[in-house]
Amino acid sequence: MKDTHESAAEENTTDLMAGKRITLDEMAVELAGIELRLRQLARAAEVPATPVELADDIENLRRTATTVREMSKRMGFLARIVEGDVPLAAVFSGTNAPWGAAARGTDRTDYGGPAIVPTEWQLIRLAQDGKRATAAGRETTTYPAAMDGVGIGWESKTAQARRRRERDAAVAVEVLRSTCERCSAGEGEHCRTKNGRVSEQPHTGRLREAEATVDARLGYLGDNPVAVPDV
């Protein structure tokens, strides 16, 4: 289970955004600030208060700062894309496969399904293709136009995975709050095998009961959230 103190700290993100969700522009600015802080820390580490050679850590800090700077620039470019400032190709080059709202109902097995919600790298590629399309006089689109109506209730794969881990952790706690009808394990006790050995794998009935309780509390339907607030 995750450390609760660390989890609480990670969840405190209100100072990073003006609204309910962080914008790409806010991410770009925050990352630029982190890059500067890392470089300042590397510079300060050149002359620590006690004689300890920190050359390796200084180099690592500067390498990390370079990576963060690249991310900041990418977020800044993506911010321009989502604002509609950058022309984008209407389809993926080489496949003529649509994306965004136009990809609804399409079947692109070779690409794992339609790219209704494009990745950052797909957007950058679409921007590159859009630049060439503009020069050739071909049709282009913009992110707002292509994504019109897409995103209501959307949740990233990373957020889904995190919510799944949180759900599984809650189920593990809930299991020990109930008794097991199969092996008579009481509250706070793990289930036991037929030969009396302790097992961290609960019997199916006890697990099912815990899952139902947690899912009702968290708003889940099986493995999936019933609804993601549109904020």
Side-chain angles (χ1 to χ4, degrees):
M1 187 181 301
K2 294 186 299 182
D3 180 75
T4 54
H5 178 74
E6 180 181 351
S7 176
E10 290 178 0
E11 292 174 3
N12 185 16
T13 60
T14 54
D15 65 320
L16 297 175
M17 59 199 82
K20 293 183 178 180
R21 292 191 178 184
I22 194 167
T23 66
L24 294 176
D25 189 47
E26 288 170 330
M27 287 188 64
V29 173
E30 290 290 341
L31 285 167
I34 292 171
E35 181 213 345
L36 176 59
R37 197 62 172 167
L38 286 170
R39 294 192 185 281
Q40 290 173 334
L41 186 57
R43 181 62 179 267
E46 292 180 1
V47 284
T50 51
V52 178
E53 181 54 69
L54 301 174
D56 289 344
D57 290 309
I58 291 170
E59 183 61 26
N60 286 334
L61 284 168
R62 288 176 174 153
R63 278 200 298 265
T64 301
T66 297
T67 299
V68 173
R69 179 178 60 194
E70 293 170 353
M71 292 174 61
S72 176
K73 290 182 177 179
R74 187 163 67 250
M75 289 302 115
F77 183 52
L78 289 169
R80 291 183 55 211
I81 289 177
V82 301
E83 288 297 324
D85 296 340
V86 180
L88 304 174
V91 296
F92 289 107
S93 61
T95 65
N96 288 325
W99 61 279
R104 283 180 172 143
T106 61
D107 182 16
R108 294 191 300 125
T109 305
D110 293 341
Y111 292 84
I116 296 175
V117 177
T119 67
E120 57 183 307
W121 302 112
Q122 286 175 325
L123 281 177
I124 290 173
R125 178 61 184 272
L126 288 166
Q128 295 170 343
D129 292 342
K131 186 176 182 179
R132 287 190 285 268
T134 299
R138 297 194 301 271
E139 178 185 2
T140 61
T141 186
T142 63
Y143 182 90
M147 296 292 287
D148 185 27
V150 176
I152 298 176
W154 176 79
E155 186 176 46
S156 70
K157 292 179 180 179
T158 305
Q160 289 176 1
R162 172 180 54 77
R163 282 159 60 86
R164 174 64 183 179
R165 290 194 301 272
E166 291 171 351
R167 184 251 192 189
D168 289 346
V171 168
V173 171
E174 189 64 34
V175 162
L176 296 178
R177 290 176 176 170
S178 62
T179 59
C180 181
E181 295 181 358
R182 181 73 177 273
C183 67
S184 300
E187 184 175 349
E189 297 179 339
H190 289 287
C191 286
R192 293 182 176 274
T193 67
K194 185 178 180 180
N195 296 325
R197 294 188 181 90
V198 174
S199 173
E200 292 189 359
Q201 173 63 39
H203 284 105
T204 301
R206 192 184 193 190
L207 178 60
R208 187 184 298 117
E209 180 182 347
E211 288 176 337
T213 300
V214 170
D215 289 346
R217 185 169 70 239
L218 297 181
Y220 272 64
L221 180 61
D223 293 343
N224 302 309
V226 173
V228 177
D230 179 24
V231 293

